């Protein structure tokens, strides 16, 4: 993304309701918003709805934005809230369990695998199959999906994702760990 | 020395680690078949998901145009 969006001048123009600035903002980001909604598993009509209401909320609240985070982070934070409202759940994050505890069932006390990943060819085939991977993604709780999408598809920085989801870096690590491992285990099951 | 469990935690929770540590992780993955397979699987999930979402978006190109036009009409 060109850095111009992050310059104070651009933000001032947006706040002043400069039409050109608003248009540039929309053209540069609509695709990413829509993309994220699809990545979160929403249907096309739902994704359109959420994208539109995110823009409405963005232009409603831009006057109050102080520029402490990136504009893009601010926008994705709005999207996350809109999408959570849509799902009517997961808006407030329940505390994530401790990562060590989650891992215990896979490893012995020396930290060695109890049973390593199996059937690499079958796994690879399962991971490439749209219905299987979309199906597995459906089972993930919303914050995990958002964390996974922002990290793996949007390539966002850790600090920015933490701001979007309002979680600590530690908590984000747990979200990513859980998202990746639930996907992996789900695909492994379907690979058999 | 890092255990398999450490490796899995570091790579799947995106833990921030030093360069020396990163070297140790790479070395472990190079010699441990379980962790190598695990690491490869995470990569397969990532690239497959990226590809599938991009494909879906391509089919929805018109929708993106329509959304842009609508947002511009409403908010500019």
């Amino acid at each position: 993304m060109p850095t111009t969006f992050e310059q104070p001048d651009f933000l001032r123009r947006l706040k002043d309701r400069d039409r050109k600035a608003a248009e540039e903002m929309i053209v540069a980001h609509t695709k990413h918003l829509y993309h994220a909604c699809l990545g979160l598993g929403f249907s096309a009509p739902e994704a359109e709805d959420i994208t539109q209401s995110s823009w409405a909320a963005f232009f409603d609240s831009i006057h109050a934005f102080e520029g402490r985070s990136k504009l893009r982070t601010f926008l994705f934070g709005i999207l996350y809230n809109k999408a959570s409202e849509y799902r009517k759940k997961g808006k407030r994050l329940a505390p994530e369990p401790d990562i060590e505890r989650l891992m215990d069932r896979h490893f012995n006390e020396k930290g060695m695998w109890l049973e390593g990943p199996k059937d690499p060819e079958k796994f690879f085939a399962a991971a490439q199959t749209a219905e299987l991977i979309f199906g597995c993604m459906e089972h993930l709780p919303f914050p995990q999906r958002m964390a996974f999408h922002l990290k793996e598809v949007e390539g966002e920085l850790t600090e920015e994702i933490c701001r979007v989801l309002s979680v600590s870096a530690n908590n984000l690590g747990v979200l990513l760990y859980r998202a990746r491992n639930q996907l992996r285990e789900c695909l492994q099951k379907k690979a058999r | 020395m890092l255990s398999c469990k450490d490796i899995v935690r570091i790579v799947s929770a995106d833990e921030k680690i030093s360069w020396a540590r990163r070297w140790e992780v790479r070395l472990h993955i190079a010699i441990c078949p379980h962790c190598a397979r695990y690491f490869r699987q995470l990569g397969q999930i990532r690239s497959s998901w990226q590809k599938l979402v991009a494909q879906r978006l391509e089919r929805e190109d018109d929708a993106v145009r329509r959304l842009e036009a609508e947002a511009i009409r409403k908010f500019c």
Side-chain angles (χ1 to χ4, degrees), chain A residues 135-185:
Chain A
C136 288
M137 197 61 91
E138 272 291 302
H139 296 309
L140 294 191
F142 202 63
Q144 289 180 32
R145 261 195 256 176
M146 190 74 182
F148 182 82
H149 180 83
L150 290 176
K151 187 84 205 184
E152 306 287 46
V153 182
E154 293 291 330
E156 281 291 349
L157 296 174
T158 301
E159 306 86 81
E160 301 299 323
I161 303 175
C162 288
R163 287 211 187 98
V164 169
L165 302 180
S166 322
V167 295
S168 66
N170 249 336
N171 236 312
L172 177 63
V174 181
L175 287 174
L176 287 171
Y177 172 84
R178 298 189 92 190
R180 288 168 175 154
N181 281 283
Q182 285 190 47
L183 284 172
R184 197 183 70 80
E185 283 164 32

Side-chain angles (χ1 to χ4, degrees), chain B residues 23-75:
Chain B
W23 185 246
E24 214 180 317
V25 170
R26 273 197 210 150
L27 187 67
H28 182 114
I29 289 173
I31 57 175
C32 169
H34 291 313
C35 289
R37 201 172 275 174
Y38 176 86
F39 190 66
R40 213 158 36 234
Q41 287 184 338
L42 291 193
Q44 288 167 356
I45 293 170
R46 176 188 309 115
S47 61
S48 168
W49 184 250
Q50 285 170 347
K51 201 177 72 198
L52 290 170
V53 171
Q55 277 171 5
R56 228 180 126 184
L57 191 71
E58 228 168 79
R59 288 202 300 273
E60 306 282 352
D61 212 27
D62 291 346
V64 173
R65 296 276 145 63
R66 204 165 57 239
L67 283 166
E68 280 174 10
E70 202 180 319
I72 288 170
R73 189 171 49 74
K74 275 195 203 153
F75 307 115

Side-chain angles (χ1 to χ4, degrees), chain A residues 55-79:
Chain A
W55 278 130
F58 176 84
F59 287 107
D60 270 352
S61 55
I62 187 67
H63 65 275
F65 176 63
E66 291 171 351
R68 285 212 200 100
S69 65
K70 286 207 234 158
L71 199 52
R72 185 179 159 87
T73 307
F74 176 63
L75 179 62
F76 270 111
I78 289 173
L79 176 85

